[in-house]
Amino acid sequence: LATLLIISSTVSVIASDTVTTQDVDLSGNHIMTGNYTVSHGTTLTIKPGSTIDMQDYWMKVEGTLVADNATIMSSIQTTGAGSHNAGVWDALTITQIGSADLDNVTISNAKSCIIVEGSMTAKSLTIEDCLIGIEISGTAHISELSAAHIDNDGFRVTGVATLSDLDLADMSAGISSDGDLT
């Protein structure tokens, strides 16, 4: 039993700046010690139950990100008056050549929880404690979204976005759009 407890509480550290050269599957708990790039032509799959602790680094997706029942956050605690831990790490950025498929994912504590320059499909997405919720200059289809404790805009849409079943709370502005919004 003691061995089982030690194995189940193990945390993996992903060291230094990482650029993928092949498909990667992550499961369990991971702490980043550098920026992480999913390169074009590769896929990062974050398995159910996984937690990715970004610390104060960023994740950039030039290939494909698939995440199911996972959390991407930072465990670093900010100390400012009235702070709710927003803006600790930079962002999950889906570049113009990247794509993401997120299902039941929570993203928190970032400057921008998600920046979508490419394409993203998300279902049952939770974003919280960010300076900006989601910036969409590419294409995003999001259903069943919960967003809370966002210091500025929940959504900034300059691209194409289809949003449904939203629960937006505690943010300066819900949706700001100059793009094509449904």
Side-chain angles (χ1 to χ4, degrees):
L1 182 59
T3 303
L4 181 60
L5 289 174
I6 290 170
I7 290 171
S8 67
S9 65
T10 303
V11 174
S12 175
V13 175
I14 298 178
S16 302
D17 288 351
T18 300
V19 177
T20 62
T21 57
Q22 60 187 7
D23 293 349
V24 175
D25 289 349
L26 292 180
S27 62
N29 300 321
H30 298 274
I31 298 174
M32 298 296 181
T33 61
N35 299 313
Y36 195 93
T37 302
V38 180
S39 63
H40 181 67
T42 67
T43 299
L44 170 63
T45 302
I46 303 175
K47 298 288 190 172
S50 298
T51 298
I52 310 300
D53 184 345
M54 294 304 300
Q55 295 290 295
D56 59 355
Y57 302 103
W58 47 256
M59 183 181 290
K60 182 174 19 173
V61 179
E62 297 171 347
T64 303
L65 170 64
V66 177
D68 179 16
N69 191 29
T71 300
I72 303 172
M73 47 69 79
S74 176
S75 63
I76 295 175
Q77 298 295 305
T78 56
T79 58
S83 174
H84 58 96
N85 243 31
V88 176
W89 63 287
D90 192 49
L92 166 60
T93 302
I94 313 304
T95 69
Q96 290 179 329
I97 58 174
S99 65
D101 185 3
L102 310 177
D103 187 3
N104 195 26
V105 172
T106 298
I107 300 174
S108 63
N109 313 113
K111 291 175 185 161
S112 290
C113 277
I114 306 173
I115 299 172
V116 181
E117 298 166 349
S119 64
M120 180 181 77
T121 300
K123 180 182 176 192
S124 299
L125 180 64
T126 300
I127 57 171
E128 55 194 10
D129 297 312
C130 295
L131 300 179
I132 299 169
I134 302 176
E135 299 178 60
I136 303 167
S137 59
T139 303
H141 300 280
I142 304 170
S143 63
E144 300 173 38
L145 173 100
S146 174
H149 316 298
I150 311 296
D151 287 357
N152 294 297
D153 298 338
F155 289 91
R156 288 184 179 169
V157 180
T158 56
V160 178
T162 302
L163 311 173
S164 63
D165 298 321
L166 306 178
D167 181 11
L168 309 178
D170 190 24
M171 59 188 68
S172 296
I175 301 172
S176 170
S177 177
D178 290 332
D180 184 359
L181 175 65
T182 304

